[in-house]
């Protein structure tokens, strides 16, 4: 990438700087590349399934491309999975939509946080990188809510949490 990605901004600052300046080429193992591919297929599957729900509107493309947000003349970029309207919890509120495909252990962990802390606090406790990414997407899209779907590989099990926009975090 020739830009600093919003999807990793919650990571270590040094790691982000080295990634952004391309100090070291990022090399992915075959297993990691397979995980990426599975994650993309799972995102498409989840969106397809969400569209089956009555009164649900999902926008996952603008001008045929993934929704992009940017700042600093394109040096800071993010790509949303979509935006969603029609959730039972807030039917008239647009939400930033993100979908994460994770292993079983991580999936159970967010479910535990959702149960113990409530859905609106679960994401921040579960994964700070995803939380910051979500906050930035809400900020740049001027949305007050985010909806994160967390799925196991292949999308067999999934759960979701909503998150409120926090300007200070963004």
């Amino acid at each position: 990438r020739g830009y600093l990605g919003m999807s990793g901004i919650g990571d270590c600052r040094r790691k982000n700087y080295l990634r952004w300046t391309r100090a070291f080429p990022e090399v992915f193992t075959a297993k990691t590349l397979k995980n990426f591919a599975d994650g993309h297929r799972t995102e498409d599957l989840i969106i397809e399934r969400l569209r089956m729900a009555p009164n649900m509107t999902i926008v996952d493309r603008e001008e045929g491309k993934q929704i992009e947000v940017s700042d600093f003349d394109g040096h800071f970029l993010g790509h949303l999975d979509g935006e969603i309207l029609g959730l039972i919890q807030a039917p008239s509120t647009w939400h930033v939509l993100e979908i994460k495909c994770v292993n079983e252990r991580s999936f159970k962990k967010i479910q535990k946080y959702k149960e113990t802390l409530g859905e609106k606090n679960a994401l921040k406790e579960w994964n700070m990188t995803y939380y910051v990414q979500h906050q930035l997407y809400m900020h740049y899209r001027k949305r007050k809510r985010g909806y994160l779907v967390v799925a196991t590989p292949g999308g067999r099990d999934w759960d979701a949490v909503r998150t409120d926009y926090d300007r200070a975090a963004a």
Side-chain angles (χ1 to χ4, degrees):
R1 294 181 178 177
Y3 60 88
L4 182 59
M6 291 182 194
S7 61
I9 202 63
D11 283 343
C12 162
R13 286 182 183 185
R14 182 171 186 264
K15 180 179 178 181
N16 274 322
Y17 177 78
L18 293 173
R19 186 184 293 146
W20 180 57
T21 59
R22 300 180 195 180
F24 300 101
E26 203 161 8
V27 178
F28 299 109
T29 65
K31 184 179 186 325
T32 299
L33 293 173
K34 290 174 190 174
N35 288 343
F36 290 161
D38 184 61
H40 292 302
R41 281 191 306 275
T42 301
E43 288 170 10
D44 292 340
L45 178 66
I46 298 292
I47 288 172
E48 180 184 325
R49 288 177 179 168
L50 286 169
R51 283 192 168 120
M52 290 181 199
N55 304 317
M56 193 74 67
T57 302
I58 298 171
V59 177
D60 64 332
R61 299 272 185 261
E62 287 182 337
E63 299 176 17
K65 296 180 181 178
Q66 196 172 12
I67 300 170
E68 182 178 278
V69 291
S70 71
D71 207 343
F72 304 105
D73 294 323
H75 291 285
F76 188 44
L77 288 175
H79 297 89
L80 289 72
D81 292 330
E83 293 182 314
I84 188 167
L85 177 69
L87 295 172
I88 292 170
Q89 305 93 321
S92 61
T93 302
W94 278 98
H95 290 65
V96 164
L97 171 65
E98 274 301 297
I99 302 163
K100 301 298 181 189
C101 188
V102 301
N103 62 36
E104 290 282 339
R105 191 173 126 265
S106 191
F107 180 75
K108 288 178 182 171
K109 193 172 182 182
I110 193 166
Q111 286 184 311
K112 178 184 171 210
Y113 287 132
K114 182 179 175 181
E115 183 182 314
T116 58
L117 303 173
E119 79 166 319
K120 291 197 174 180
N121 298 309
L123 176 57
K124 185 176 183 179
E125 190 65 33
W126 176 63
N127 188 304
M128 186 54 73
T129 298
Y130 294 160
Y131 176 76
V132 172
Q133 175 190 20
H134 219 61
Q135 290 297 329
L136 287 167
Y137 290 171
M138 285 188 271
H139 180 78
Y140 285 103
R141 294 297 290 185
K142 296 180 178 20
R143 301 288 183 214
K144 297 294 181 195
R145 300 259 171 69
Y147 187 66
L148 177 82
V149 176
V150 181
T152 58
R156 289 196 178 140
D157 292 317
W158 50 302
D159 204 342
V161 297
R162 290 185 321 132
T163 303
D164 289 327
Y165 172 65
D166 178 350
R167 182 174 171 76

